[in-house]
Amino acid sequence: MADTLDFELPERSRSVVETAAIGTGDDALDAVASWFEGHSNLEARFGEILRQSIDEVLDGQRTGRFDLAAKTVVKTERTYLGTKVEIICQAAFNLQRGRHMDYLIDGHEVDAKFSGKGLVKQSIPREAVGEICLLMHADDTRGTFSAGLLRTTPDVLSPGKGNQDGKREILAAARSRIRWLVHHGRLPENLLLKLPEATRQAIFNPPGVKGRGNSGQQRVNQLFRLVQRRIVRREVVLTVAQQDDGPKRVRDARKSLLPEGILILGHQDRHPHIARELNVPIPQQGQWISVQVVPVERDDPRPSTLLGGNRYSVVRAGESVHAPSPLTSY
Amino acid sequence: MADTLDFELPERSRSVVETAAIGTGDDALDAVASWFEGHSNLEARFGEILRQSIDEVLDGQRTGRFDLAAKTVVKTERTYLGTKVEIICQAAFNLQRGRHMDYLIDGHEVDAKFSGKGLVKQSIPREAVGEICLLMHADDTRGTFSAGLLRTTPDVLSPGKGNQDGKREILAAARSRIRWLVHHGRLPENLLLKLPEATRQAIFNPPGVKGRGNSGQQRVNQLFRLVQRRIVRREVVLTVAQQDDGPKRVRDARKSLLPEGILILGHQDRHPHIARELNVPIPQQGQWISVQVVPVERDDPRPSTLLGGNRYSVVRAGESVHAPSPLTSY
C-alpha cells in the first residue's frame, strides 16, 4: 500500500502519510516511529533540520553558494552533509547517543542515514545491517524531502561486494517496507535556487558595478528590489551580502529603497500588522518581505494599510510609483 | 637557515619568523608571501581562521564536543576540516578563486592544504604538483599552529603510488624549503581542552544533578564558578550550555553567582574598566571573565575597584568570602 502511494501521490502533495495505526510487525521499529510521531509539526521539524544542514554546508555567507549541485561544492562537503544532518537531527530532537548506532530512541538503537540521491540506494555499512535506520532524503531543487524508518535486514540489501569495505546498498524494492515519518514533505524554500537565472544575475551583478567591486549592500538592495512579496530568510541575505551583519544590511536597504516606494517588512514593530493588512505573507523572526506600495484613496477596495496618515496598497502592474514622501519611517 | 630555526625555536615561542627579506628564488612564491605579509596581525588572522574552523567542525553547541581527537569526531569531519579551513581562509583574506587551484593571489594560483598532523607529510593530488601550496597546520592540544608556502615540485614529494589516485606526500626534508608565514604561532585557546579532567567533570556534571537531566544553566554556572580569571570565549559557553542563547545563560549565571562574590565581566558597560582595575585580562566582544572579589579597606594596597560605593579586590587564597550585599549590580 505504501509502495503504490509513493508513486500515486502528486509530487508536491506535502502529505504526511498517516500510518500511525499500521504496524510493521517490528515492535522496536513501531516504538521508534511512535516516538517520532509523538512530536507536533513533524514535517516542519524535519524540514528545518534538513534546510539548516544544507545551508550550513553551503556556507553562503562566506562562499556565496546556494546550490548543492554546483561544482564548487566538493565531494568532501557532500559527504559531510550526512554528518551534519545526523548532528542537527540529534540536537533538534534532543536524542541520546546510541551505544553502537547514532541514536538511542525509546531504548532502541537507531542509525541516521542521509542521502541527497534518495531514500533507497543508500549504502549501509556492515555494522548497521539488521539495525533500524532513520533514512532521510532532501531534494532542494524540487523543495521536497522524506524521512522514514527501515530495518536494514539482508533481504532489503544488495549482496555485499567482496573487494569493498562490506557496504551494501538498500534495494529499490525496499521502498515498500519503509515506515514513513514524512513522505514528500515540503522543504523550506531555497529562494535563490528558485529564482530565474536572469534575476539572480541582476542581484549578484548590480548594474553599474563590475565584478568583485560590487558591494554586499548593493546586492542586498537588488534582492529586495527584484524579489518582492516572497519571504526572504536570513540565510538568503547573508549569501547575497557575503557579510556577517545581515540585519544591518536589511536596515540600510530599507532606507535606500524607500524612495522607490518599496517597504521591507520584518517580524518586529508594526511590520507583521502592515503585512497582514497588505495581504502579503507575514515574516517571522529572521525573515523579511519586500513590497512596493502606492498611495490609494480611502475608498479604494483593495487591501491597504495606513502609513504616516496616508493609505497605501500593493502596487499593481502598470501602476506608476511616485516617491512616497510621507513614508519617512514605518 | 629556516630548517635549523624550525628545531631551535622553543615550542611556544610564538615568533613570526621574519623572512620578508629572504628570497626563495621563486618570484611567484615570493610575491604571494609578500601579499600575505602586507597584512597586519598575520598571526592573529591565521590563528582566528584555524580556531573558527575547528570550532565549527566540533559544533560544540549541538554536540558538547571540544576535542578534535575524541572518537565522537568521525573521519568525515576530520576530512571536512580541511575544506572548512580553505573556505574560512578565503573569506578572511577576501581571496579570489583560482582557475585551477583554490585561490588566485596577486595573479598566482595557490592551493590551500590543511592538516592536523603537520605541515609536511600532507598528501598532494596530482593536479597540485608543481603549484604553490599554502600549507597550514594546527595543534589544538599544544595551542600552536603554523602556516607557510611551498612549491610542491616533484623533488619535495614522495614517488607516486601506482595503485592510488596519484597522491604524493610532502617529504619531511621539504621542511627546509617552506617559506614560513607564521611559525609556531599561538592558536587562540581551547579552554575546555586545557582544563584538568576533574574540573571538566565538575562543569559537565554539576553536583546534585544526574546525567542528562542537568541543565545548561547549571553547567554554565559551574564553568564561571570553577574557571576564574581566564578569558571564556562565546564558543566555550555554547559548548557547555548546549543551547543557542549563550549571552542569556551568562547573564543568568551573573545573577546566580553574585551571592558568592563572583563577578562575570563582559566587554560592555563598566566591565572592561573593572577588569582593568582588578588587574585581570580584559574581555573583548564575545568574551567573558569571572573573578571572585572581597571587600577591602580604602588603604589596602592591592588592585581594587569601586562597586556600589565599596572597594573590592580579587579574593586571595584562604580569604573568606561573605555574600557581598552591596553588590546588587555592576
Side-chain angles (χ1 to χ4, degrees):
Chain A
M1 198 50 194
D3 193 20
T4 44
L5 262 180
D6 187 13
F7 297 101
E8 284 174 13
L9 277 177
E11 191 162 275
R12 299 290 303 269
S13 71
R14 312 203 274 116
S15 76
V16 177
V17 175
E18 290 169 18
T19 51
I22 307 168
T24 57
D26 182 332
D27 290 347
L29 192 144
D30 286 343
V32 173
S34 297
W35 185 89
F36 276 110
E37 286 161 353
H39 291 78
S40 59
N41 304 319
L42 204 54
E43 181 181 5
R45 281 172 193 260
F46 273 111
E48 203 49 55
I49 288 165
L50 294 165
R51 176 78 273 145
Q52 184 78 25
S53 301
I54 294 169
D55 286 348
E56 289 194 20
V57 170
L58 287 169
D59 201 349
Q61 179 182 332
R62 295 195 184 105
T63 64
R65 301 179 305 186
F66 51 84
D67 183 359
L68 272 180
K71 65 173 191 244
T72 50
V73 179
V74 299
K75 185 159 173 269
T76 302
E77 294 175 286
R78 288 181 222 279
T79 308
Y80 177 74
L81 177 56
T83 307
K84 190 94 269 186
V85 169
E86 182 223 308
I87 288 173
I88 297 185
C89 183
Q90 177 177 346
F93 285 106
N94 195 21
L95 299 172
Q96 273 185 273
R97 293 300 295 173
R99 284 176 301 268
H100 318 295
M101 299 292 115
D102 294 328
Y103 311 140
L104 194 68
I105 299 176
D106 198 25
H108 305 285
E109 297 275 335
V110 177
D111 216 38
K113 296 294 294 177
F114 172 83
S115 166
K117 289 176 187 159
L119 279 190
V120 296
K121 298 287 178 80
Q122 298 204 49
S123 68
I124 299 294
R126 188 183 290 132
E127 62 273 18
V129 171
E131 301 287 344
I132 300 172
C133 288
L134 169 61
L135 304 177
M136 291 170 277
H137 164 63
D139 184 329
D140 210 10
T141 307
R142 290 181 172 165
T144 60
F145 76 93
S146 292
L149 298 165
L150 176 71
R151 190 179 285 276
T152 49
T153 44
D155 60 318
V156 301
L157 300 175
S158 65
K161 289 170 191 161
N163 61 340
Q164 288 281 330
D165 54 355
K167 283 202 171 184
R168 297 166 66 172
E169 252 185 19
I170 300 176
L171 297 169
R175 188 173 272 275
S176 65
R177 298 267 283 275
I178 294 171
R179 171 70 136 86
W180 299 104
L181 295 171
V182 182
H183 198 184
H184 293 315
R186 188 173 161 277
L187 192 64
E189 185 180 50
N190 184 332
L191 179 64
L192 292 167
L193 192 59
K194 295 290 179 69
L195 293 177
E197 177 58 25
T199 308
R200 272 202 301 258
Q201 283 294 333
I203 292 170
F204 282 100
N205 306 292
V209 201
K210 281 287 178 201
R212 289 173 56 78
N214 71 54
S215 84
Q217 185 61 56
Q218 287 168 298
R219 295 194 299 270
V220 172
N221 293 354
Q222 279 286 77
L223 170 69
F224 285 108
R225 182 181 284 126
L226 299 176
V227 182
Q228 294 192 20
R229 299 192 296 282
R230 287 176 77 168
I231 292 291
V232 175
R233 293 162 56 99
R234 179 175 168 277
E235 289 72 16
V236 173
V237 175
L238 293 174
T239 301
V240 169
Q242 281 191 242
Q243 290 174 16
D244 59 6
D245 197 349
K248 167 79 172 127
R249 296 281 82 74
V250 176
R251 285 197 299 276
D252 287 353
R254 187 172 288 148
K255 286 179 208 151
S256 297
L257 298 184
L258 197 53
E260 301 171 32
I262 297 171
L263 308 180
I264 303 179
L265 305 172
H267 79 290
Q268 286 179 312
D269 306 327
R270 289 185 67 239
H271 290 191
H273 172 75
I274 297 170
R276 201 174 293 113
E277 290 209 325
L278 290 174
N279 198 27
V280 297
I282 299 164
Q284 299 183 344
Q285 187 163 10
Q287 298 184 339
W288 295 276
I289 194 164
S290 71
V291 54
Q292 195 167 29
V293 295
V294 286
V296 291
E297 296 302 326
R298 196 163 291 266
D299 57 355
D300 195 296
R302 49 183 160 161
S304 64
T305 192
L306 212 55
L307 297 166
N310 291 63
R311 194 155 281 284
Y312 291 86
S313 288
V314 177
V315 70
R316 282 178 182 154
E319 211 165 24
S320 72
V321 177
H322 340 263
S325 53
L327 266 183
T328 49
S329 72
Y330 53 94
Chain B
M1 197 49 196
D3 193 21
T4 44
L5 262 180
D6 186 15
F7 296 103
E8 284 173 12
L9 276 178
E11 193 162 277
R12 300 289 304 270
S13 73
R14 310 203 274 114
S15 76
V16 178
V17 176
E18 288 168 20
T19 51
I22 307 168
T24 58
D26 181 332
D27 290 347
L29 193 144
D30 286 342
V32 173
S34 296
W35 185 90
F36 277 111
E37 286 161 351
H39 291 79
S40 59
N41 304 321
L42 204 55
E43 180 180 5
R45 282 172 193 258
F46 272 111
E48 202 50 55
I49 288 165
L50 294 166
R51 175 80 272 143
Q52 185 77 27
S53 300
I54 295 170
D55 286 348
E56 288 194 19
V57 170
L58 287 169
D59 201 349
Q61 179 182 331
R62 296 194 182 104
T63 65
R65 301 179 304 186
F66 51 84
D67 185 358
L68 273 179
K71 65 172 194 246
T72 50
V73 178
V74 300
K75 184 158 173 270
T76 302
E77 294 174 286
R78 287 181 223 279
T79 308
Y80 176 74
L81 176 56
T83 308
K84 190 93 270 188
V85 169
E86 182 222 306
I87 288 173
I88 297 185
C89 184
Q90 178 177 347
F93 285 105
N94 195 22
L95 300 172
Q96 274 186 271
R97 294 299 295 173
R99 287 176 299 268
H100 318 295
M101 300 292 114
D102 293 327
Y103 311 139
L104 195 67
I105 300 176
D106 197 26
H108 305 285
E109 298 275 336
V110 176
D111 216 38
K113 295 293 294 177
F114 172 83
S115 165
K117 289 178 188 156
L119 279 189
V120 296
K121 299 286 178 79
Q122 299 204 46
S123 68
I124 299 294
R126 188 182 291 134
E127 61 274 18
V129 172
E131 301 287 344
I132 299 171
C133 287
L134 170 61
L135 304 177
M136 289 171 279
H137 163 64
D139 184 329
D140 210 9
T141 307
R142 290 182 170 163
T144 60
F145 76 93
S146 293
L149 298 165
L150 176 72
R151 190 179 285 277
T152 49
T153 43
D155 59 319
V156 300
L157 300 175
S158 66
K161 290 172 192 161
N163 59 340
Q164 288 281 329
D165 54 356
K167 282 203 173 183
R168 298 166 66 173
E169 251 184 22
I170 300 176
L171 297 169
R175 188 174 273 275
S176 65
R177 297 266 284 272
I178 294 171
R179 170 72 137 88
W180 301 104
L181 295 171
V182 183
H183 197 186
H184 293 316
R186 189 171 160 277
L187 192 65
E189 186 181 50
N190 184 332
L191 179 65
L192 292 168
L193 192 59
K194 294 292 181 69
L195 293 177
E197 177 59 25
T199 308
R200 274 202 301 258
Q201 283 294 331
I203 292 169
F204 282 100
N205 306 291
V209 201
K210 283 286 179 201
R212 289 173 58 76
N214 71 55
S215 85
Q217 186 61 58
Q218 287 168 298
R219 295 194 298 271
V220 172
N221 293 354
Q222 279 287 77
L223 170 69
F224 286 108
R225 183 182 284 126
L226 300 176
V227 183
Q228 295 192 18
R229 299 192 297 281
R230 287 176 77 167
I231 292 291
V232 175
R233 291 162 58 97
R234 180 174 167 276
E235 289 72 16
V236 174
V237 174
L238 293 173
T239 301
V240 169
Q242 282 192 242
Q243 290 173 15
D244 59 6
D245 197 350
K248 167 81 172 125
R249 295 284 80 72
V250 176
R251 285 196 299 276
D252 288 352
R254 187 172 287 148
K255 286 180 207 150
S256 297
L257 299 184
L258 197 54
E260 302 172 31
I262 297 170
L263 309 179
I264 303 179
L265 305 172
H267 79 290
Q268 287 179 310
D269 306 326
R270 289 185 67 240
H271 290 191
H273 172 74
I274 297 170
R276 202 173 293 114
E277 290 209 323
L278 291 174
N279 198 27
V280 298
I282 299 163
Q284 299 183 345
Q285 188 164 12
Q287 300 183 339
W288 296 276
I289 193 163
S290 72
V291 55
Q292 196 168 28
V293 294
V294 286
V296 290
E297 296 302 325
R298 194 163 291 265
D299 57 355
D300 195 296
R302 47 183 161 163
S304 64
T305 191
L306 213 55
L307 296 167
N310 291 63
R311 194 155 280 284
Y312 291 86
S313 288
V314 177
V315 71
R316 281 176 182 155
E319 213 166 22
S320 73
V321 177
H322 342 265
S325 53
L327 267 184
T328 48
S329 72
Y330 52 95

